[in-house]
Amino acid sequence: MTERKSMIVGISGCSSCGKTTLARILRDVFPNTFILHQDDFYKEEKDLPTKNGLLDWDCAGAIDVPGMAESLAYIRQNAAFPPHLESKEDQNSIGECPVSDSAIAALKSSVDSSIPPDHPLRTGALSLCLLDGFLLYPPSMSPIHPYLDIKIFLRTTYEKAKMRRERRDGYVTIEGFWSDPPGYVDKIVWPNYVEEHAWMFENGDVEHQFKEDALAKENIRVEKGAGADRDLESTLKWAANVVLDELKKSQV
């Protein structure tokens, strides 16, 4: 088996739960780190499925899953994007960062002191790829699962997801720009999230207790003791420690 050159860290959860913000901060905190966005694998608008009379951007059918799996395989062995892939997602705004500059600086200092000079991440033998995606771990995305070294999952409430999503201007797409039509969260985003992730929660209730055996089976990491309305600063520290623990194993 060819030696891995990139460790791929999945960061998933409902749309507008803080995934992209977390990924961008972790990219700044860890050395030799870059982000891959699931949104860069959307199909062309003409090929999207529809639901409730609306285009459905929030389902597996909207994603080029085989192309995404191929790109992850390439990244794993080359520590870089495939030549054909150009990210559009970083052109999208995510709003004001809820984590203070001082907290980010303190975490960066802690991470720097935790990674020795001879670690593969510092020597360039290994990179971190942060995979930011709204739909990574359900069975509908099984072709990408072999390439995920760490699976981080963030939760949120319906109220917070709806508020954040509806505050956004829109999204850069292959064709240009997309803005959610009225009612999109209630008709598409939240129902799809529940449908795809109910298996992770007791009684399928995505705002309450996780189903621990389901998480353990798929090796999905969640922040213990954090409710659906969690604080991103504490989540950032937790996620950084999850990555650090895995990096220590890679040095052995």
Side-chain angles (χ1 to χ4, degrees):
M1 185 176 179
T2 307
E3 184 180 359
R4 173 185 66 182
K5 292 187 178 178
S6 190
M7 179 183 291
I8 298 175
V9 182
I11 302 176
S12 194
C14 184
S15 173
S16 304
C17 72
K19 302 180 301 297
T20 303
T21 301
L22 179 65
R24 289 182 181 180
I25 297 174
L26 290 174
R27 177 183 59 188
D28 294 340
V29 164
F30 282 88
N32 203 22
T33 298
F34 61 98
I35 302 175
L36 178 68
H37 301 279
Q38 185 176 34
D39 288 7
D40 287 321
F41 296 93
Y42 274 124
K43 296 176 181 177
E44 293 184 19
E45 195 167 313
K46 65 181 179 62
D47 297 323
L48 294 178
T50 59
K51 182 176 181 179
N52 295 324
L54 298 170
L55 287 176
D56 187 353
W57 294 85
D58 287 69
C59 66
I63 303 294
D64 176 10
V65 180
M68 188 174 174
E70 290 173 8
S71 292
L72 289 170
Y74 183 94
I75 288 169
R76 195 177 174 86
Q77 300 305 328
N78 296 276
F81 283 178
H84 67 274
L85 182 61
E86 181 179 353
S87 179
K88 297 173 292 298
E89 172 63 19
D90 271 342
Q91 299 175 44
N92 291 325
S93 63
I94 56 174
E96 185 178 348
C97 179
V99 182
S100 67
D101 290 343
S102 60
I104 295 172
L107 181 61
K108 180 173 175 57
S109 177
S110 176
V111 167
D112 284 343
S113 64
S114 300
I115 304 175
D118 61 345
H119 190 281
L121 195 64
R122 291 219 185 269
T123 64
L126 181 71
S127 71
L128 276 181
C129 172
L130 307 175
L131 174 59
D132 161 27
F134 70 95
L135 188 65
L136 299 182
Y137 312 141
S140 59
M141 295 300 297
S142 60
I144 74 168
H145 293 171
Y147 306 106
L148 305 181
D149 297 297
I150 305 175
K151 300 176 183 177
I152 289 173
F153 185 82
L154 309 183
R155 60 192 307 192
T156 191
T157 62
Y158 161 78
E159 288 79 9
K160 186 169 284 189
K162 181 178 174 70
M163 177 188 68
R164 288 175 174 170
R165 177 90 181 205
E166 292 182 347
R167 281 180 177 175
R168 291 183 175 177
D169 298 328
Y171 303 85
V172 176
T173 69
I174 296 173
E175 289 80 9
F177 197 76
W178 158 270
S179 294
D180 289 347
Y184 191 77
V185 172
D186 291 315
K187 293 179 180 178
I188 303 290
V189 176
W190 191 257
N192 285 9
Y193 169 65
V194 173
E195 181 180 345
E196 287 280 13
H197 296 90
W199 61 276
M200 294 173 57
F201 295 84
E202 295 290 348
N203 302 315
D205 186 343
V206 299
E207 294 194 65
H208 289 88
Q209 296 297 317
F210 284 108
K211 190 178 290 184
E212 295 297 336
D213 57 341
L215 299 182
K217 182 180 179 181
E218 299 300 325
N219 199 26
I220 297 171
R221 317 287 185 88
V222 297
E223 188 180 5
K224 301 296 183 183
D229 196 12
R230 78 214 184 298
D231 172 69
L232 188 59
E233 186 169 323
S234 66
T235 298
L236 172 63
K237 294 176 183 177
W238 164 77
N241 284 325
V242 168
V243 175
L244 283 172
D245 287 344
E246 197 66 27
L247 287 172
K248 289 176 183 176
K249 299 176 187 176
S250 71
Q251 195 178 21
V252 176

